[in-house]
mmCIF file of all heavy atoms in Angstrom:
data_model
loop_
_atom_site.group_PDB
_atom_site.id
_atom_site.type_symbol
_atom_site.label_atom_id
_atom_site.label_comp_id
_atom_site.label_asym_id
_atom_site.label_seq_id
_atom_site.Cartn_x
_atom_site.Cartn_y
_atom_site.Cartn_z
ATOM 1 N N GLY A 256 7.527 -9.871 17.074
ATOM 2 C CA GLY A 256 7.828 -9.355 15.748
ATOM 3 C C GLY A 256 6.569 -9.044 14.965
ATOM 4 O O GLY A 256 5.604 -8.490 15.500
ATOM 5 N N ALA A 257 6.541 -9.421 13.691
ATOM 6 C CA ALA A 257 5.371 -9.158 12.853
ATOM 7 C C ALA A 257 4.143 -9.899 13.378
ATOM 8 O O ALA A 257 3.011 -9.442 13.191
ATOM 9 C CB ALA A 257 5.660 -9.560 11.411
ATOM 10 N N LYS A 258 4.331 -11.021 14.073
ATOM 11 C CA LYS A 258 3.193 -11.765 14.623
ATOM 12 C C LYS A 258 2.497 -11.008 15.748
ATOM 13 O O LYS A 258 1.352 -11.334 16.082
ATOM 14 C CB LYS A 258 3.657 -13.121 15.160
ATOM 15 C CG LYS A 258 3.857 -14.197 14.107
ATOM 16 C CD LYS A 258 4.246 -15.518 14.760
ATOM 17 C CE LYS A 258 3.132 -16.052 15.644
ATOM 18 N NZ LYS A 258 3.549 -17.267 16.378
ATOM 19 N N SER A 259 3.158 -10.036 16.329
ATOM 20 C CA SER A 259 2.530 -9.300 17.429
ATOM 21 C C SER A 259 1.351 -8.456 16.952
ATOM 22 O O SER A 259 0.601 -7.920 17.774
ATOM 23 C CB SER A 259 3.550 -8.425 18.164
ATOM 24 O OG SER A 259 4.097 -7.433 17.315
ATOM 25 N N SER A 260 1.155 -8.352 15.639
ATOM 26 C CA SER A 260 -0.026 -7.649 15.123
ATOM 27 C C SER A 260 -1.258 -8.543 15.124
ATOM 28 O O SER A 260 -2.341 -8.093 14.752
ATOM 29 C CB SER A 260 0.235 -7.135 13.703
ATOM 30 O OG SER A 260 0.289 -8.211 12.781
ATOM 31 N N LEU A 261 -1.101 -9.806 15.530
ATOM 32 C CA LEU A 261 -2.229 -10.737 15.618
ATOM 33 C C LEU A 261 -2.783 -10.689 17.032
ATOM 34 O O LEU A 261 -2.155 -11.214 17.967
ATOM 35 C CB LEU A 261 -1.771 -12.162 15.278
ATOM 36 C CG LEU A 261 -1.079 -12.357 13.925
ATOM 37 C CD1 LEU A 261 -0.563 -13.782 13.793
ATOM 38 C CD2 LEU A 261 -2.028 -12.014 12.784
ATOM 39 N N PRO A 262 -3.962 -10.075 17.253
ATOM 40 C CA PRO A 262 -4.462 -9.906 18.629
ATOM 41 C C PRO A 262 -4.569 -11.209 19.403
ATOM 42 O O PRO A 262 -4.308 -11.240 20.605
ATOM 43 C CB PRO A 262 -5.838 -9.261 18.413
ATOM 44 C CG PRO A 262 -5.714 -8.534 17.117
ATOM 45 C CD PRO A 262 -4.840 -9.403 16.271
ATOM 46 N N HIS A 263 -4.970 -12.293 18.742
ATOM 47 C CA HIS A 263 -5.064 -13.597 19.392
ATOM 48 C C HIS A 263 -4.156 -14.610 18.696
ATOM 49 O O HIS A 263 -4.535 -15.762 18.472
ATOM 50 C CB HIS A 263 -6.507 -14.089 19.425
ATOM 51 C CG HIS A 263 -7.292 -13.527 20.565
ATOM 52 N ND1 HIS A 263 -8.515 -14.029 20.942
ATOM 53 C CD2 HIS A 263 -7.019 -12.520 21.432
ATOM 54 C CE1 HIS A 263 -8.976 -13.334 21.979
ATOM 55 N NE2 HIS A 263 -8.084 -12.418 22.277
ATOM 56 N N GLY A 264 -2.938 -14.179 18.400
ATOM 57 C CA GLY A 264 -1.978 -15.074 17.780
ATOM 58 C C GLY A 264 -1.590 -16.217 18.700
ATOM 59 O O GLY A 264 -1.713 -16.133 19.924
ATOM 60 N N VAL A 265 -1.092 -17.294 18.094
ATOM 61 C CA VAL A 265 -0.739 -18.502 18.840
ATOM 62 C C VAL A 265 0.776 -18.626 18.902
ATOM 63 O O VAL A 265 1.456 -18.551 17.864
ATOM 64 C CB VAL A 265 -1.351 -19.749 18.163
ATOM 65 C CG1 VAL A 265 -0.932 -21.015 18.891
ATOM 66 C CG2 VAL A 265 -2.870 -19.618 18.115
ATOM 67 N N PRO A 266 1.337 -18.824 20.095
ATOM 68 C CA PRO A 266 2.794 -18.974 20.191
ATOM 69 C C PRO A 266 3.274 -20.231 19.475
ATOM 70 O O PRO A 266 2.629 -21.273 19.522
ATOM 71 C CB PRO A 266 3.047 -19.056 21.704
ATOM 72 C CG PRO A 266 1.746 -19.460 22.307
ATOM 73 C CD PRO A 266 0.688 -18.896 21.423
ATOM 74 N N ASP A 267 4.426 -20.116 18.808
ATOM 75 C CA ASP A 267 5.011 -21.278 18.147
ATOM 76 C C ASP A 267 6.516 -21.248 18.364
ATOM 77 O O ASP A 267 7.001 -20.625 19.314
ATOM 78 C CB ASP A 267 4.624 -21.333 16.668
ATOM 79 C CG ASP A 267 5.057 -20.103 15.884
ATOM 80 O OD1 ASP A 267 6.010 -19.414 16.321
ATOM 81 O OD2 ASP A 267 4.469 -19.827 14.821
ATOM 82 N N ASP A 268 7.268 -21.911 17.498
ATOM 83 C CA ASP A 268 8.711 -22.022 17.687
ATOM 84 C C ASP A 268 9.482 -20.857 17.093
ATOM 85 O O ASP A 268 10.712 -20.917 16.967
ATOM 86 C CB ASP A 268 9.207 -23.342 17.082
ATOM 87 C CG ASP A 268 8.696 -24.550 17.852
ATOM 88 O OD1 ASP A 268 8.603 -24.455 19.097
ATOM 89 O OD2 ASP A 268 8.370 -25.570 17.226
ATOM 90 N N LYS A 269 8.799 -19.782 16.755
ATOM 91 C CA LYS A 269 9.484 -18.592 16.251
ATOM 92 C C LYS A 269 10.416 -18.041 17.323
ATOM 93 O O LYS A 269 9.991 -17.747 18.448
ATOM 94 C CB LYS A 269 8.472 -17.523 15.869
ATOM 95 C CG LYS A 269 9.112 -16.211 15.420
ATOM 96 C CD LYS A 269 8.116 -15.091 15.320
ATOM 97 C CE LYS A 269 8.801 -13.776 14.982
ATOM 98 N NZ LYS A 269 9.838 -13.367 15.953
ATOM 99 N N PRO A 270 11.704 -17.855 17.019
ATOM 100 C CA PRO A 270 12.607 -17.250 17.998
ATOM 101 C C PRO A 270 12.456 -15.732 18.031
ATOM 102 O O PRO A 270 12.172 -15.102 17.009
ATOM 103 C CB PRO A 270 13.994 -17.660 17.497
ATOM 104 C CG PRO A 270 13.825 -17.821 16.017
ATOM 105 C CD PRO A 270 12.418 -18.304 15.804
ATOM 106 N N LEU A 271 12.626 -15.164 19.190
ATOM 107 C CA LEU A 271 12.620 -13.711 19.329
ATOM 108 C C LEU A 271 13.864 -13.143 18.649
ATOM 109 O O LEU A 271 14.938 -13.756 18.660
ATOM 110 C CB LEU A 271 12.627 -13.318 20.803
ATOM 111 C CG LEU A 271 11.283 -13.239 21.524
ATOM 112 C CD1 LEU A 271 10.497 -14.539 21.417
ATOM 113 C CD2 LEU A 271 11.492 -12.875 22.995
ATOM 114 N N GLU A 272 13.708 -11.946 18.076
ATOM 115 C CA GLU A 272 14.821 -11.255 17.434
ATOM 116 C C GLU A 272 14.975 -9.863 18.023
ATOM 117 O O GLU A 272 14.009 -9.263 18.508
ATOM 118 C CB GLU A 272 14.570 -11.143 15.926
ATOM 119 C CG GLU A 272 14.420 -12.485 15.222
ATOM 120 C CD GLU A 272 14.118 -12.319 13.739
ATOM 121 O OE1 GLU A 272 14.524 -11.282 13.165
ATOM 122 O OE2 GLU A 272 13.462 -13.197 13.168
ATOM 123 N N ALA A 273 16.177 -9.357 18.000
ATOM 124 C CA ALA A 273 16.432 -8.005 18.471
ATOM 125 C C ALA A 273 15.568 -7.032 17.681
ATOM 126 O O ALA A 273 15.473 -7.124 16.456
ATOM 127 C CB ALA A 273 17.907 -7.655 18.315
ATOM 128 N N GLY A 274 14.923 -6.109 18.366
ATOM 129 C CA GLY A 274 14.040 -5.145 17.729
ATOM 130 C C GLY A 274 12.592 -5.569 17.673
ATOM 131 O O GLY A 274 11.742 -4.808 17.201
ATOM 132 N N ASP A 275 12.277 -6.781 18.139
ATOM 133 C CA ASP A 275 10.890 -7.244 18.191
ATOM 134 C C ASP A 275 10.131 -6.602 19.343
ATOM 135 O O ASP A 275 10.706 -6.311 20.399
ATOM 136 C CB ASP A 275 10.825 -8.767 18.429
ATOM 137 C CG ASP A 275 11.054 -9.589 17.176
ATOM 138 O OD1 ASP A 275 11.138 -9.009 16.078
ATOM 139 O OD2 ASP A 275 11.169 -10.830 17.316
ATOM 140 N N PHE A 276 8.839 -6.423 19.147
ATOM 141 C CA PHE A 276 7.910 -6.304 20.251
ATOM 142 C C PHE A 276 7.422 -7.713 20.600
ATOM 143 O O PHE A 276 7.192 -8.538 19.699
ATOM 144 C CB PHE A 276 6.704 -5.436 19.884
ATOM 145 C CG PHE A 276 6.780 -4.010 20.367
ATOM 146 C CD1 PHE A 276 6.139 -2.996 19.671
ATOM 147 C CD2 PHE A 276 7.455 -3.677 21.542
ATOM 148 C CE1 PHE A 276 6.176 -1.680 20.110
ATOM 149 C CE2 PHE A 276 7.506 -2.365 21.991
ATOM 150 C CZ PHE A 276 6.868 -1.370 21.276
ATOM 151 N N VAL A 277 7.241 -7.985 21.885
ATOM 152 C CA VAL A 277 6.648 -9.235 22.343
ATOM 153 C C VAL A 277 5.373 -8.888 23.106
ATOM 154 O O VAL A 277 5.425 -8.144 24.102
ATOM 155 C CB VAL A 277 7.591 -10.036 23.256
ATOM 156 C CG1 VAL A 277 6.948 -11.366 23.650
ATOM 157 C CG2 VAL A 277 8.927 -10.271 22.577
ATOM 158 N N VAL A 278 4.236 -9.398 22.647
ATOM 159 C CA VAL A 278 2.951 -9.196 23.323
ATOM 160 C C VAL A 278 2.628 -10.468 24.091
ATOM 161 O O VAL A 278 2.565 -11.557 23.512
ATOM 162 C CB VAL A 278 1.829 -8.870 22.319
ATOM 163 C CG1 VAL A 278 0.489 -8.743 23.043
ATOM 164 C CG2 VAL A 278 2.149 -7.585 21.564
ATOM 165 N N MET A 279 2.414 -10.326 25.395
ATOM 166 C CA MET A 279 2.095 -11.458 26.264
ATOM 167 C C MET A 279 0.761 -11.197 26.952
ATOM 168 O O MET A 279 0.629 -10.240 27.715
ATOM 169 C CB MET A 279 3.195 -11.661 27.311
ATOM 170 C CG MET A 279 4.549 -12.008 26.731
ATOM 171 S SD MET A 279 5.864 -12.008 27.983
ATOM 172 C CE MET A 279 6.057 -10.227 28.265
ATOM 173 N N ASP A 280 -0.211 -12.053 26.679
ATOM 174 C CA ASP A 280 -1.562 -11.947 27.237
ATOM 175 C C ASP A 280 -1.824 -13.251 27.984
ATOM 176 O O ASP A 280 -1.809 -14.332 27.386
ATOM 177 C CB ASP A 280 -2.560 -11.750 26.096
ATOM 178 C CG ASP A 280 -3.978 -11.436 26.578
ATOM 179 O OD1 ASP A 280 -4.281 -11.669 27.761
ATOM 180 O OD2 ASP A 280 -4.786 -10.984 25.751
ATOM 181 N N PHE A 281 -2.096 -13.183 29.292
ATOM 182 C CA PHE A 281 -2.148 -14.403 30.089
ATOM 183 C C PHE A 281 -2.878 -14.141 31.405
ATOM 184 O O PHE A 281 -3.175 -12.994 31.769
ATOM 185 C CB PHE A 281 -0.726 -14.902 30.372
ATOM 186 C CG PHE A 281 0.154 -13.879 31.049
ATOM 187 C CD1 PHE A 281 0.335 -13.890 32.420
ATOM 188 C CD2 PHE A 281 0.787 -12.882 30.316
ATOM 189 C CE1 PHE A 281 1.121 -12.939 33.052
ATOM 190 C CE2 PHE A 281 1.574 -11.919 30.932
ATOM 191 C CZ PHE A 281 1.746 -11.951 32.303
ATOM 192 N N GLY A 282 -3.169 -15.207 32.122
ATOM 193 C CA GLY A 282 -3.814 -15.108 33.428
ATOM 194 C C GLY A 282 -4.047 -16.499 33.977
ATOM 195 O O GLY A 282 -3.907 -17.506 33.275
ATOM 196 N N CYS A 283 -4.418 -16.563 35.246
ATOM 197 C CA CYS A 283 -4.702 -17.840 35.897
ATOM 198 C C CYS A 283 -5.918 -17.666 36.797
ATOM 199 O O CYS A 283 -6.519 -16.585 36.840
ATOM 200 C CB CYS A 283 -3.492 -18.310 36.708
ATOM 201 S SG CYS A 283 -3.050 -17.219 38.093
ATOM 202 N N THR A 284 -6.303 -18.725 37.496
ATOM 203 C CA THR A 284 -7.477 -18.650 38.363
ATOM 204 C C THR A 284 -7.114 -18.950 39.805
ATOM 205 O O THR A 284 -6.179 -19.689 40.095
ATOM 206 C CB THR A 284 -8.576 -19.637 37.916
ATOM 207 O OG1 THR A 284 -8.137 -20.984 38.153
ATOM 208 C CG2 THR A 284 -8.920 -19.463 36.451
ATOM 209 N N ARG A 285 -7.905 -18.349 40.714
ATOM 210 C CA ARG A 285 -7.891 -18.668 42.140
ATOM 211 C C ARG A 285 -9.339 -18.692 42.596
ATOM 212 O O ARG A 285 -10.103 -17.772 42.297
ATOM 213 C CB ARG A 285 -7.111 -17.629 42.946
ATOM 214 C CG ARG A 285 -5.616 -17.762 42.803
ATOM 215 C CD ARG A 285 -5.053 -18.950 43.560
ATOM 216 N NE ARG A 285 -5.076 -18.760 45.000
ATOM 217 C CZ ARG A 285 -4.669 -19.665 45.877
ATOM 218 N NH1 ARG A 285 -4.218 -20.832 45.465
ATOM 219 N NH2 ARG A 285 -4.735 -19.419 47.180
ATOM 220 N N GLY A 286 -9.702 -19.730 43.313
ATOM 221 C CA GLY A 286 -11.091 -19.871 43.717
ATOM 222 C C GLY A 286 -12.039 -19.943 42.536
ATOM 223 O O GLY A 286 -13.229 -19.666 42.669
ATOM 224 N N GLY A 287 -11.491 -20.315 41.368
ATOM 225 C CA GLY A 287 -12.281 -20.382 40.147
ATOM 226 C C GLY A 287 -12.337 -19.076 39.378
ATOM 227 O O GLY A 287 -12.787 -19.058 38.231
ATOM 228 N N TYR A 288 -11.860 -17.980 39.961
ATOM 229 C CA TYR A 288 -11.974 -16.656 39.337
ATOM 230 C C TYR A 288 -10.699 -16.299 38.584
ATOM 231 O O TYR A 288 -9.585 -16.591 39.026
ATOM 232 C CB TYR A 288 -12.315 -15.602 40.394
ATOM 233 C CG TYR A 288 -13.748 -15.714 40.842
ATOM 234 C CD1 TYR A 288 -14.122 -16.675 41.793
ATOM 235 C CD2 TYR A 288 -14.742 -14.922 40.291
ATOM 236 C CE1 TYR A 288 -15.448 -16.815 42.184
ATOM 237 C CE2 TYR A 288 -16.065 -15.053 40.679
ATOM 238 C CZ TYR A 288 -16.411 -16.003 41.622
ATOM 239 O OH TYR A 288 -17.730 -16.153 41.999
ATOM 240 N N CYS A 289 -10.880 -15.627 37.451
ATOM 241 C CA CYS A 289 -9.800 -15.396 36.491
ATOM 242 C C CYS A 289 -9.055 -14.092 36.730
ATOM 243 O O CYS A 289 -9.618 -13.105 37.230
ATOM 244 C CB CYS A 289 -10.369 -15.345 35.071
ATOM 245 S SG CYS A 289 -11.162 -16.875 34.526
ATOM 246 N N SER A 290 -7.812 -14.102 36.323
ATOM 247 C CA SER A 290 -7.078 -12.855 36.088
ATOM 248 C C SER A 290 -6.796 -12.765 34.598
ATOM 249 O O SER A 290 -6.851 -13.764 33.870
ATOM 250 C CB SER A 290 -5.769 -12.816 36.878
ATOM 251 O OG SER A 290 -4.901 -13.873 36.499
ATOM 252 N N ASP A 291 -6.483 -11.559 34.140
ATOM 253 C CA ASP A 291 -6.268 -11.316 32.713
ATOM 254 C C ASP A 291 -5.395 -10.085 32.583
ATOM 255 O O ASP A 291 -5.756 -9.016 33.093
ATOM 256 C CB ASP A 291 -7.610 -11.117 32.009
ATOM 257 C CG ASP A 291 -7.501 -11.138 30.493
ATOM 258 O OD1 ASP A 291 -6.408 -11.410 29.971
ATOM 259 O OD2 ASP A 291 -8.531 -10.893 29.826
ATOM 260 N N MET A 292 -4.257 -10.217 31.947
ATOM 261 C CA MET A 292 -3.377 -9.060 31.761
ATOM 262 C C MET A 292 -2.588 -9.219 30.466
ATOM 263 O O MET A 292 -2.387 -10.327 29.971
ATOM 264 C CB MET A 292 -2.410 -8.907 32.936
ATOM 265 C CG MET A 292 -1.354 -10.008 33.038
ATOM 266 S SD MET A 292 -0.215 -9.760 34.433
ATOM 267 C CE MET A 292 0.556 -8.206 33.987
ATOM 268 N N THR A 293 -2.181 -8.083 29.908
ATOM 269 C CA THR A 293 -1.305 -8.076 28.740
ATOM 270 C C THR A 293 -0.203 -7.051 28.957
ATOM 271 O O THR A 293 -0.475 -5.926 29.407
ATOM 272 C CB THR A 293 -2.065 -7.717 27.446
ATOM 273 O OG1 THR A 293 -3.182 -8.585 27.296
ATOM 274 C CG2 THR A 293 -1.165 -7.843 26.235
ATOM 275 N N ARG A 294 1.005 -7.447 28.628
ATOM 276 C CA ARG A 294 2.123 -6.515 28.606
ATOM 277 C C ARG A 294 2.878 -6.698 27.293
ATOM 278 O O ARG A 294 3.007 -7.814 26.768
ATOM 279 C CB ARG A 294 3.061 -6.748 29.788
ATOM 280 C CG ARG A 294 2.482 -6.293 31.132
ATOM 281 C CD ARG A 294 2.256 -4.797 31.151
ATOM 282 N NE ARG A 294 1.749 -4.296 32.428
ATOM 283 C CZ ARG A 294 0.463 -4.109 32.706
ATOM 284 N NH1 ARG A 294 -0.455 -4.418 31.783
ATOM 285 N NH2 ARG A 294 0.089 -3.621 33.866
ATOM 286 N N THR A 295 3.363 -5.586 26.756
ATOM 287 C CA THR A 295 4.148 -5.564 25.535
ATOM 288 C C THR A 295 5.534 -5.035 25.865
ATOM 289 O O THR A 295 5.650 -3.952 26.461
ATOM 290 C CB THR A 295 3.484 -4.672 24.464
ATOM 291 O OG1 THR A 295 2.169 -5.170 24.184
ATOM 292 C CG2 THR A 295 4.299 -4.656 23.187
ATOM 293 N N VAL A 296 6.564 -5.800 25.540
ATOM 294 C CA VAL A 296 7.941 -5.382 25.822
ATOM 295 C C VAL A 296 8.770 -5.478 24.556
ATOM 296 O O VAL A 296 8.420 -6.192 23.610
ATOM 297 C CB VAL A 296 8.570 -6.245 26.940
ATOM 298 C CG1 VAL A 296 7.743 -6.154 28.221
ATOM 299 C CG2 VAL A 296 8.713 -7.699 26.514
ATOM 300 N N ALA A 297 9.883 -4.757 24.546
ATOM 301 C CA ALA A 297 10.784 -4.769 23.396
ATOM 302 C C ALA A 297 11.975 -5.672 23.678
ATOM 303 O O ALA A 297 12.416 -5.806 24.827
ATOM 304 C CB ALA A 297 11.254 -3.352 23.079
ATOM 305 N N VAL A 298 12.488 -6.292 22.625
ATOM 306 C CA VAL A 298 13.670 -7.144 22.736
ATOM 307 C C VAL A 298 14.894 -6.347 22.286
ATOM 308 O O VAL A 298 14.974 -5.918 21.121
ATOM 309 C CB VAL A 298 13.525 -8.411 21.870
ATOM 310 C CG1 VAL A 298 14.759 -9.307 22.026
ATOM 311 C CG2 VAL A 298 12.265 -9.173 22.233
ATOM 312 N N SER A 299 15.797 -6.075 23.207
ATOM 313 C CA SER A 299 17.092 -5.417 22.961
ATOM 314 C C SER A 299 16.986 -3.923 22.664
ATOM 315 O O SER A 299 17.735 -3.111 23.205
ATOM 316 C CB SER A 299 17.873 -6.113 21.828
ATOM 317 O OG SER A 299 18.120 -7.462 22.158
#
């Protein structure tokens, strides 16, 4: 929702609402090396 305008926003207990954008930025490591990706999807 409106929080998706925060480039490094912190997830909290805000529930998703129909018409929201959801920005997900995440990654993990293998052999110590990182991955990094972001996808933005719409709710409903």
Side-chain angles (χ1 to χ4, degrees):
K258 280 183 64 185
S259 63
S260 71
L261 304 174
H263 277 193
V265 177
D267 59 23
D268 292 323
K269 176 192 175 302
L271 274 55
E272 300 178 27
D275 280 353
F276 261 151
V277 183
V278 177
M279 297 172 287
D280 188 343
F281 56 97
C283 64
T284 69
R285 284 286 289 178
Y288 286 81
C289 298
S290 61
D291 192 6
M292 68 179 298
T293 306
R294 288 296 182 266
T295 301
V296 302
V298 181
S299 300

